[in-house]
Amino acid sequence: MGKLIVHQDKITSAEIMEAVIAVCPFNALENNDGKLDINAGCKLCKLCVKKGPTGVMEFVEDEVKPSVDKSKWNGIAVYVEHEEGVIHPVTFELIGKAKELAAKIHHPVYAVFIGSDIKGHVDELRHYGVDKVFCCDDPELKYFKIETYTSAFEAFINKVRPTAILVGATSVGRQLAPRIAARFKTGLTADCTILDMKENTDLVQIRPAFGGNIMAEIHTPNHRPQMCTVRYKIMNAPERSESLTGEVEEFTVSKDKLKNRVDVLKTTKKPKEQSIENAEILVVAGRGIKKKEDLAMIEELAELLGGQLACTRPMMESGWFDAKHQIGLSGRTVRPKLIITCGVSGAIQFVAGMNNSENIIAINSDPKATIFDVANYAIVGDIYEIVPQLIEKIKKGEAIVA
């Protein structure tokens, strides 16, 4: 952390005062009887330092003494998300990223598998090139209960001391990761979109911040382990190898640590439903849709292409869609083979949830729309003219539907 310092002697005119105040997007700078003050609205974004009049504002980093010997922490661990031993695909994506990060610092990659009757599923992880699978198999871990799983994960960290831990941003991961971070009094960055590794083993964690207006680069230089969660469909999973690599090591947790104040009396499985996360083709409705009835043409296009309908956050908030159809940081992350956006401006929150799609076709009447920055094909025009024409061509067989 750090603090902003105002050099009042540099404010030699009313024009300079006004120029500094105008730079702040949060209205955190104010003129108090000729003195420039910083109010509680300050987010420490440092724009006043970077873009304000030279020398008026200065950011000073707090001097923090390292509280950890980094040399004693080794390896990058991936938490294995699973349901009754069936491994969630986000795990393989995180293994791929962990291997990439570990190669930069010559560390091993570990998989942490916690559950009951899971030994028969361990070898599947070894097809993806991990150096070691740490398996905790205990009847008390049959159901995900936050207290018992936290204790098991804590036992692994105390035993292995990994420098970084990657967790899927699933409903389970979002419960477990904060508990672990609290136990070790370390940092946790949620919903990272980019990860990198410094030579000194500091994990570079990048995610959108301040409503998606900036990309924040976050470090945990003085604590270990470093922790982050990553959404499904953000990273690339490695190719599955036919051969098995790596070792398997079992670890146990004392029975008193597995005591829980919650008992699972019954489980009811939700019926399976189509998810936009697994769709190969998506057609997205944006704010360019004028009224709910007009969604019919977007839905027809999706049906003709054999795809699914999705939306942006404003469309969900208007009540036109369920939340499960929303793409973006506050919705779902998708990676289809083809995505067509209709009247979508391209806010960073939305783009972060779909910019890894194989082919992006954007239709928007504004030639300066930011969605065109990530699109493979840009169509500048009115969706009310273009979409009906596209539908007609598909029906006549003039457009190819793969």
Side-chain angles (χ1 to χ4, degrees):
M1 292 295 289
K3 60 183 178 181
L4 284 171
I5 296 176
V6 182
H7 294 288
Q8 304 287 350
D9 59 309
K10 300 290 185 180
I11 307 173
T12 56
S13 66
E15 289 76 15
I16 293 177
M17 175 75 78
E18 292 173 3
V20 180
I21 293 173
V23 167
C24 182
F26 305 105
N27 298 317
L29 299 175
E30 53 190 23
N31 185 346
N32 187 5
D33 293 329
K35 181 182 177 183
L36 184 65
D37 285 342
I38 304 170
N39 64 36
C42 180
K43 308 294 184 184
L44 289 178
C45 68
K46 294 180 271 189
L47 280 176
C48 55
V49 178
K50 298 173 184 176
K51 296 187 177 182
T54 304
V56 175
M57 305 297 297
E58 181 184 2
F59 182 78
V60 179
E61 292 278 2
D62 290 337
E63 190 173 339
V64 180
K65 293 182 179 180
S67 59
V68 65
D69 182 353
K70 297 176 185 179
S71 65
K72 294 182 178 179
W73 296 79
N74 187 70
I76 298 178
V78 173
Y79 173 70
V80 180
E81 171 82 42
H82 70 95
E83 184 177 351
E84 296 179 355
V86 179
I87 300 168
H88 192 293
V90 73
T91 301
F92 303 121
E93 294 179 0
L94 295 181
I95 288 173
K97 176 51 69 172
K99 290 171 66 177
E100 178 187 318
L101 298 174
K104 294 185 175 184
I105 53 175
H106 309 292
H107 278 214
V109 174
Y110 304 131
V112 190
F113 206 0
I114 300 170
S116 177
D117 295 326
I118 57 174
K119 292 179 183 177
H121 300 275
V122 168
D123 281 349
E124 182 60 24
L125 295 163
R126 298 174 65 202
H127 285 290
Y128 289 86
V130 298
D131 294 291
K132 186 176 285 190
V133 180
F134 286 88
C135 180
C136 183
D137 194 327
D138 192 291
E140 293 295 328
L141 299 167
K142 181 177 181 180
Y143 301 109
F144 176 78
K145 292 184 281 189
I146 189 65
E147 290 177 311
T148 54
Y149 269 62
T150 300
S151 295
F153 210 144
E154 181 184 17
F156 160 77
I157 296 172
N158 286 329
K159 174 183 176 69
V160 180
R161 299 171 70 85
T163 189
I165 299 172
L166 312 185
V167 181
T170 61
S171 56
V172 167
R174 284 172 171 159
Q175 295 176 68
L176 185 60
R179 284 270 186 146
I180 300 299
R183 289 276 174 102
F184 288 88
K185 295 181 172 59
T186 189
L188 169 66
T189 304
D191 289 344
C192 293
T193 55
I194 301 172
L195 295 175
D196 201 357
M197 184 66 74
K198 291 185 174 183
E199 291 183 3
N200 66 353
T201 73
D202 282 354
L203 182 65
V204 179
Q205 304 152 84
I206 299 175
R207 59 150 295 154
F210 299 123
N213 293 313
I214 64 172
M215 297 296 285
E217 183 174 309
I218 300 166
H219 302 259
T220 313
N222 303 306
H223 297 83
R224 290 295 185 270
Q226 304 162 94
M227 295 189 66
C228 68
T229 63
V230 182
R231 289 191 180 200
Y232 179 37
K233 297 282 188 179
I234 290 288
M235 305 300 178
N236 295 315
E239 291 290 329
R240 185 182 187 277
S241 172
E242 291 301 316
S243 59
L244 295 175
T245 59
E247 306 172 9
V248 179
E249 182 175 329
E250 295 182 21
F251 70 99
T252 58
V253 186
S254 60
K255 292 299 179 183
D256 62 306
K257 292 286 186 180
L258 293 180
K259 290 180 181 178
N260 199 282
R261 291 171 289 181
V262 175
D263 289 325
V264 178
L265 303 179
K266 179 184 176 183
T267 60
T268 303
K269 291 188 177 182
K270 291 173 61 178
K272 289 188 177 181
E273 56 184 28
Q274 279 191 323
S275 170
I276 62 172
E277 290 173 306
N278 299 316
E280 294 194 346
I281 298 174
L282 288 171
V283 181
V284 186
R287 250 191 304 209
I289 305 298
K290 297 175 183 176
K291 53 183 185 293
K292 190 174 183 180
E293 292 73 18
D294 297 338
L295 290 174
M297 68 174 180
I298 308 298
E299 189 171 8
E300 184 178 4
L301 177 60
E303 289 177 356
L304 288 170
L305 293 172
Q308 293 185 46
L309 194 60
C311 70
T312 59
R313 180 172 177 171
M315 303 299 282
M316 184 276 294
E317 291 178 338
S318 69
W320 294 4
F321 287 89
D322 291 330
K324 62 186 177 184
H325 292 288
Q326 181 198 335
I327 294 173
L329 292 178
S330 55
R332 306 292 176 93
T333 302
V334 298
R335 199 172 189 171
K337 292 182 177 178
L338 171 65
I339 185 168
I340 302 175
T341 66
C342 303
V344 176
S345 62
I348 192 170
Q349 299 97 321
F350 171 81
V351 170
M354 52 69 73
N355 62 347
N356 288 317
S357 304
E358 287 186 27
N359 291 288
I360 303 171
I361 299 175
I363 307 171
N364 199 297
S365 58
D366 180 6
K368 295 182 180 179
T370 53
I371 190 66
F372 291 145
D373 294 339
V374 296
N376 301 103
Y377 303 95
I379 303 174
V380 180
D382 189 344
I383 57 174
Y384 286 89
E385 296 177 5
I386 293 169
V387 173
Q389 289 180 44
L390 185 55
I391 289 172
E392 194 63 28
K393 286 183 178 292
I394 294 173
K395 287 180 176 179
K396 289 181 178 179
E398 296 176 8
I400 299 173
V401 181

